[in-house]
């Protein structure tokens, strides 16, 4: 993909991850909203076999999860880890999940559409994520009969997905744009370009952790290549704006004080609520982006932002926890990870 060649440059200070999602439906069955439980189970079995019994080497790395057999904590944790949508766990009967062993690929069966192929790659890797999604799509296409129209493209339950059936998105850390209040204007501007910027952990204006998802909204009358290139172009503009805003804020003593205070709390706190923890981790990541800390890497912080979520904490512990117990364990998890790292870099005020 022409413009995506530049992805070799490191954008990890802003881009947390890349996601490509394909929506597909089987021609022989009605959309999930019109299917009964028996039909859903039949579709789940058909898709499961198409993936797991393929001769492709990649198929051997998948496992199948019957959603109805999961506990509430296990199901919610899948949402917190961005492997499935909240809608997918709202009614788990007749729904299945095909998951790659490293959790970079998930296939939701009987969500809004019969099949939702999702590929997540770290950092900025639109081309790599698309290539994997396309391979999975090909594996399924060899055995399944997708609902397709020569004029409209792939048919989906929601008309806004008709066409390519593809949604490409980037998870971005935009603390400087959030702090300066530029997010609101950005959201409005992007809407006119066929893209949307929304908060990952809340709405765009109040969300926790300054983590946002930028995605395309146009799937009809445009190719996958065009959609990805358009997303890439806009992402580059946002990255440039965020970096410029950071440079301006880097000498602000109030900003630096907030970052170092966050570092101190994360090192020594005994209780951390989820909201507070996300804010502090965002500030710490901002400090890493400004070069204030040694040996605290983006991967550690990105991982913590997921692992401290309530259901994921309980899944990892293996039991239900009270709010205070979660706050205590969350603080311990973060403290342990942070204390392994080196202390802040001494910087002279300029």
């Amino acid at each position: 993909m022409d413009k995506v060649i530049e992805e070799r440059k490191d954008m990890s200070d802003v881009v947390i991850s890349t996601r490509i999602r394909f929506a597909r439906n089987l021609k022989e069955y009605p959309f999930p909203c019109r299917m009964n439980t028996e039909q859903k189970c039949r579709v789940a079995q058909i898709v499961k076999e198409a993936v797991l019994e393929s001769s492709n080497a990649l198929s051997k790395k998948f496992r199948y999860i019957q959603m109805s057999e999961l506990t509430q904590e296990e199901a919610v944790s899948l949402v917190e880890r961005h492997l499935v949508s909240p809608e997918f766990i709202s009614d788990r009967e007749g729904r299945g999940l095909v998951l790659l062993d490293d959790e970079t690929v998930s296939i939701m069966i009987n969500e809004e559409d019969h099949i939702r192929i999702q590929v997540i790659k770290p950092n900025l890797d639109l081309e790599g994520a698309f290539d994997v999604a396309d391979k999975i799509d090909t594996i399924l296409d060899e055995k399944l009969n997708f609902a397709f129209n020569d004029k409209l493209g792939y048919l989906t339950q929601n008309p806004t997905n008709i066409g390519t059936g593809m949604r490409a998105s980037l998870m971005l850390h935009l603390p400087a744009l959030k702090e300066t209040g530029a997010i609101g204007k950005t959201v409005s501007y992007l809407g006119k370009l066929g893209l949307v910027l929304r908060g990952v952990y809340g709405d765009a204006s109040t969300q926790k952790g300054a983590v946002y998802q930028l995605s395309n909204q146009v799937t009809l009358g445009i190719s996958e290549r065009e959609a990805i290139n358009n997303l890439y172009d806009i992402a580059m503009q946002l990255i440039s704006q965020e970096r410029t805003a950071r440079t301006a804020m880097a000498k602000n003593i109030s900003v630096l004080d907030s970052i170092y205070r966050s570092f101190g709390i994360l090192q020594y706190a005994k209780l951390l609520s989820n909201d507070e923890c996300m804010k502090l981790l965002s500030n710490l990541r901002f400090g890493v982006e400004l070069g204030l800390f040694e040996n605290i890497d983006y991967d550690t912080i990105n991982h913590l932002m997921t692992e401290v979520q309530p259901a994921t904490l309980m899944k990892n512990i293996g039991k239900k926890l009270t709010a205070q117990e979660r706050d205590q364990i969350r603080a311990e998890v973060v403290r342990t990870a942070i204390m392994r790292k080196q202390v802040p870099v001494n910087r002279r005020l300029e």
Side-chain angles (χ1 to χ4, degrees), residues 168-212:
S169 63
L170 299 173
M171 191 181 294
L172 310 172
H173 187 229
L174 304 173
L177 291 181
K178 181 177 185 291
E179 187 67 25
T180 58
I183 287 295
K185 294 180 180 179
T186 302
V187 169
S188 178
Y189 166 71
L190 292 176
K192 299 175 183 178
L193 300 177
L195 291 98
V196 63
L197 183 71
R198 60 168 63 94
V200 173
Y201 302 104
D203 63 53
S205 59
T206 63
Q207 79 94 51
K208 303 169 287 186
V211 181
Y212 298 87

Side-chain angles (χ1 to χ4, degrees), residues 20-48:
I20 296 289
R21 192 198 71 196
F22 288 167
R24 300 288 186 262
N25 287 282
L26 305 184
K27 186 176 181 179
E28 299 84 359
Y29 291 87
F31 291 130
C33 66
R34 300 183 61 187
M35 290 198 302
N36 56 38
T37 300
E38 182 182 350
Q39 289 174 312
K40 288 181 179 179
C41 290
R42 196 177 306 148
V43 168
Q45 184 64 27
I46 291 171
V47 178
K48 171 187 174 182

Side-chain angles (χ1 to χ4, degrees), residues 106-149:
S106 59
I107 304 173
M108 289 175 277
I109 307 174
N110 293 326
E111 193 229 31
E112 184 178 68
D113 295 290
H114 294 145
I115 301 168
R116 286 286 177 90
I117 302 168
Q118 177 180 280
V119 176
I120 297 178
K121 291 280 191 178
N123 307 324
L124 178 59
D125 192 5
L126 284 163
E127 186 174 8
F130 179 85
D131 285 346
V132 174
D134 189 50
K135 288 178 182 176
I136 303 299
D137 189 41
T138 300
I139 290 174
L140 292 174
D141 191 40
E142 289 175 351
K143 294 190 175 182
L144 304 177
N145 188 16
F146 290 148
F148 185 85
N149 180 277

